[in-house]
Amino acid sequence: MNRSRRAAVTTAALTLALSALVLTEAAYAGKPVGSGKGADAEQQGGTDKAGTGIYAAAQVKYSGAVAKGNGRGNVASSDVTWNPPPCWYAPMYGAKEFKKKMSKELKDAANTPGMTGHAGAAINELQRHYEDDYGWTDTPGYKDYNVDKDGEGMFWAAVENPTEPDILKRSSCSDIPFWVENGEAPPPQYEEAISPEILAALAYQHMELPKTKVTLAPDGTTKVKLPTWAWLDKAEFDEVEATASIDVPGFNISATTTAAPKSLTLDPGTEEATTLPADGECPIVGDRIGEPYAQGKAKETPPCGIVYGRSSAGATFPLKASLTWEISWTGTGQNTPVGMPDGKIEAVQEITVEEVQSINR
C-alpha cells in the first residue's frame, strides 16, 4: 500500500473513529496522560508507575532568552514568508504503554454505534497494522504493538504547535503513530519528524530579545531643523541565545538559536523629517550604534539621527526604532552556524518637536 493509501486510512480511522484518542492528548501533555494542548516547557520520561512500559511525553524544553509562560517571543521575522513549524512528530510512548492505550481506543471505536462502512474498515485495518504485522509500501506493520521491543524504541506521534492559529496547518501532521528504534533516525517519509532544525525554528519563535530604547539628544523634546542624535550602547543590544531541546529515553537532541545585533532603523513618524543616514539604517560601529552626543557637537551632523522639518504642533511624533538582529543556529550534529531570516523588534518613543523661537530687536 502506498503513502496516499496510508493517509486515507489515517484520515478515516483517526478523524472519524478516534477523535477522542487519548494518545493524541498525551502528545500535548507534559505527563503520560493529560489534557493540555501543545508543546510545553516541561517534559518527562521514564518508567510509568503501572509497570506497563516506558513512556515519554516528548515536550520541547526551552531555556535561555525565551518568553515567560512558553508564549511567543518578541521577535518578528524580516521574511514575511517565514513561519515556525505548525506541527511535528516526536517520540511519545514505549510499546507496552502504547498497546494499553491504542488497543482500548480501537476497541471502543469499533463498538461505537454506526461505526461501519469505510470507517469500520479503517479501524480494522489500523488494528491489523499494529497487531498482525500488516504493513504498506513504506510503512512496516507491527506484531502485538512491538511489545517484545519495549525499551528498544518509541512510538512517535503528532504534536501541534499551540501558537499556530490556522487549525488546518496545526493538524497537518496526520500520519498514524510509527515506531523508531533508539538511536535511529525516523523514516525519511516523515519530513516533519522533530529535528535540530525544527527545534531551532521553535527557539526562534519563543526568543525574547531586549527591548529597544534609543538614547536621544535632545531627549523627548527637540527643535525644528535641529539634528537629534540617536544611539545605542552595546550593553543594550548584546548577543542573545535561546535553546530548545527534547530529552527522552533513546532520543536527545537540541538546538541553540543565536541573535546578534546588526543595525538600527529609525522611522521619525512624519514624512516631514530627514533621517541620518538617508535610508534611516544606522549600522553597528565598534561597540555601539550611532554616536553619543557631546558638548560642542551641536552644529555637527550625527552619524545616526533625525532632523525634523516641522513642529508637532502641541502633539508628538511616534519615533519608531527597529533593531535588526542576525539570526543563526547550531545544534545536535550541526556545529557550524546556519543562517535564518533576520529578526526585528520595534519600540516607539513619543517625540515633541517645537519651533525655534527667535527674538527680534
Side-chain angles (χ1 to χ4, degrees):
M1 182 176 292
N2 59 29
R3 182 172 172 80
S4 61
R5 173 61 176 144
R6 185 181 74 240
V9 171
T10 300
T11 301
L14 295 185
T15 302
L16 297 178
L18 304 179
S19 59
L21 184 61
V22 71
L23 176 69
T24 305
E25 288 190 338
Y28 307 132
K31 51 195 178 213
V33 182
S35 57
K37 297 283 185 181
D40 201 349
E42 301 296 333
Q43 60 185 2
Q44 291 187 6
T47 304
D48 64 288
K49 295 180 180 179
T52 53
I54 295 176
Y55 69 77
Q59 301 301 320
V60 178
K61 183 177 181 180
Y62 300 98
S63 59
V66 293
K68 293 181 179 180
N70 201 32
R72 292 184 75 104
N74 63 350
V75 190
S77 173
S78 60
D79 181 355
V80 296
T81 65
W82 184 89
N83 290 293
C87 62
W88 56 88
Y89 296 101
M92 293 298 157
Y93 286 101
K96 290 182 180 179
E97 183 70 3
F98 180 74
K99 176 182 178 180
K100 176 183 176 182
K101 296 181 181 302
M102 191 64 156
S103 59
K104 180 180 184 303
E105 294 302 324
L106 286 171
K107 181 179 179 181
D108 290 346
N111 292 331
T112 300
M115 194 58 66
T116 57
H118 292 298
I123 292 171
N124 180 65
E125 198 163 301
L126 196 61
Q127 187 172 15
R128 290 175 60 202
H129 176 63
Y130 289 117
E131 295 181 2
D132 299 328
D133 202 21
Y134 174 71
W136 306 303
T137 301
D138 57 357
T139 308
Y142 308 101
K143 188 69 175 178
D144 192 27
Y145 296 89
N146 269 7
V147 166
D148 62 338
K149 294 184 177 182
D150 193 51
E152 300 176 14
M154 304 292 292
F155 274 101
W156 289 42
V159 178
E160 294 182 359
N161 188 335
T163 64
E164 170 55 58
D166 188 329
I167 189 172
L168 295 178
K169 292 180 180 179
R170 200 169 63 236
S171 59
S172 60
C173 297
S174 58
D175 270 306
I176 58 178
F178 55 93
W179 178 264
V180 178
E181 296 282 342
N182 290 341
E184 297 292 327
Q189 65 263 34
Y190 301 102
E191 297 178 359
E192 299 90 352
I194 195 71
S195 65
E197 186 173 8
I198 288 177
L199 288 176
L202 292 173
Y204 189 165
Q205 180 188 23
H206 291 274
M207 179 177 279
E208 188 81 12
L209 295 179
K211 291 181 171 56
T212 304
K213 189 175 190 309
V214 178
T215 303
L216 301 173
D219 185 14
T221 301
T222 187
K223 306 292 185 182
V224 174
K225 304 297 184 182
L226 176 69
T228 298
W229 293 58
W231 70 93
L232 276 173
D233 291 321
K234 185 173 175 58
E236 299 182 50
F237 59 89
D238 208 355
E239 191 173 277
V240 172
E241 291 184 349
T243 297
S245 61
I246 282 185
D247 184 8
V248 295
F251 189 76
N252 183 336
I253 60 173
S254 66
T256 295
T257 297
T258 301
K262 184 177 181 181
S263 63
L264 175 71
T265 302
L266 300 177
D267 180 347
T270 173
E271 294 182 356
E272 296 183 58
T274 301
T275 56
L276 304 167
D279 62 2
E281 185 171 311
C282 306
I284 295 176
V285 179
D287 60 354
R288 64 170 62 95
I289 296 176
E291 181 182 331
Y293 174 78
Q295 276 191 319
K297 294 184 177 181
K299 295 183 179 181
E300 295 182 17
T301 300
C304 180
I306 299 169
V307 178
Y308 284 95
R310 70 173 179 89
S311 77
S312 54
T316 59
F317 290 130
L319 168 62
K320 184 193 301 182
S322 301
L323 188 58
T324 299
W325 298 72
E326 189 172 38
I327 310 293
S328 63
W329 70 273
T330 57
T332 303
Q334 182 62 52
N335 296 322
T336 302
V338 178
M340 302 177 77
D342 287 346
K344 289 187 176 183
I345 60 170
E346 297 179 346
V348 176
Q349 297 167 239
E350 297 298 329
I351 304 297
T352 299
V353 182
E354 299 175 341
E355 293 284 358
V356 176
Q357 299 298 320
S358 62
I359 300 176
N360 295 320
R361 295 188 178 182

